[in-house]
Amino acid sequence: CSLGAELDGLDEARNVAALAATLPAARFQFHAEAATPAGVFSDDTFTNTRVVDGACIFLNRPDFAGGAGCALHLGALDTDESPLDWKPSVCWQLPVKVDWVMRDDDVEVATVHGWTRADWGDDGEAMAWVCTEEPEAYVGDRPVIESLAEELTAIAGDEVVVELRRRLS
């Protein structure tokens, strides 16, 4: 969140902008900033979300009455839609990372793990990664294979998720 979200093309940027326009001010802390000519993007290339006060424009801070966390995520939940359909792909994929490697026998192997600073190369050092490098990022009342099933399926596909469930059971 400290660098804004890197968007995956113009279609994703259009989707984010359109959904941002539907967010009420009571749910989007930086609604007024988004309504300015600068909008929700860092520049006219539409490749990154804008950073406001040190974080993504969509990051509602912990003391915001409308709810802490991603305003797009909260908006999706408010409309009974999947946050995956509202948020930039780089955002909803966290904290899951899948590395794909093609073996010599033309079988693609997926390795699932949590993101770290190292996965982002030199850019990782400048990021605020408390969300994925602290133990609090990986606690919950259900295993990740259940709590992030939608994300895992979107990232790696049904076949990989079925295999993960088999190996974890």
Side-chain angles (χ1 to χ4, degrees):
C1 298
S2 60
L3 299 178
E6 185 175 328
L7 301 168
D8 188 21
L10 198 50
D11 286 343
E12 186 169 79
R14 286 184 184 126
N15 188 53
V16 167
L19 292 166
T22 70
L23 292 170
R27 207 52 155 157
F28 182 13
Q29 183 173 3
F30 298 103
H31 188 272
E33 287 83 346
T36 67
V40 297
F41 302 109
S42 63
D43 59 32
D44 61 2
T45 65
F46 310 110
T47 55
N48 287 77
T49 60
R50 188 169 149 203
V51 172
V52 175
D53 293 338
C56 178
I57 191 168
F58 294 110
L59 181 62
N60 294 342
R61 304 318 194 261
D63 59 346
F64 179 61
C70 179
L72 291 168
H73 189 107
L74 296 171
L77 296 178
D78 288 346
T79 58
D80 293 323
E81 295 182 43
S82 171
L84 277 67
D85 294 332
W86 281 56
K87 295 168 66 173
S89 56
V90 70
C91 300
W92 63 255
Q93 290 176 21
L94 288 170
V96 176
K97 179 166 184 353
V98 180
D99 290 323
W100 297 91
V101 176
M102 185 64 74
R103 294 189 326 205
D104 291 338
D105 60 359
D106 288 332
V107 172
E108 197 169 31
V109 176
T111 303
V112 179
H113 62 93
W115 280 95
T116 67
R117 288 179 188 272
D119 293 316
W120 292 92
D122 293 339
D123 290 336
E125 289 307 312
M127 293 179 175
W129 274 89
V130 76
C131 65
T132 60
E133 290 195 340
E134 296 297 322
E136 294 84 357
Y138 299 99
V139 299
D141 58 357
R142 300 179 294 151
V144 167
I145 191 69
E146 293 174 25
S147 65
L148 295 178
E150 183 181 11
E151 290 85 347
L152 286 166
T153 300
I155 294 168
D158 287 323
E159 191 175 318
V160 171
V161 173
V162 167
E163 182 61 18
L164 282 170
R165 284 184 191 278
R166 185 189 70 74
R167 290 180 184 211
L168 294 170
S169 63

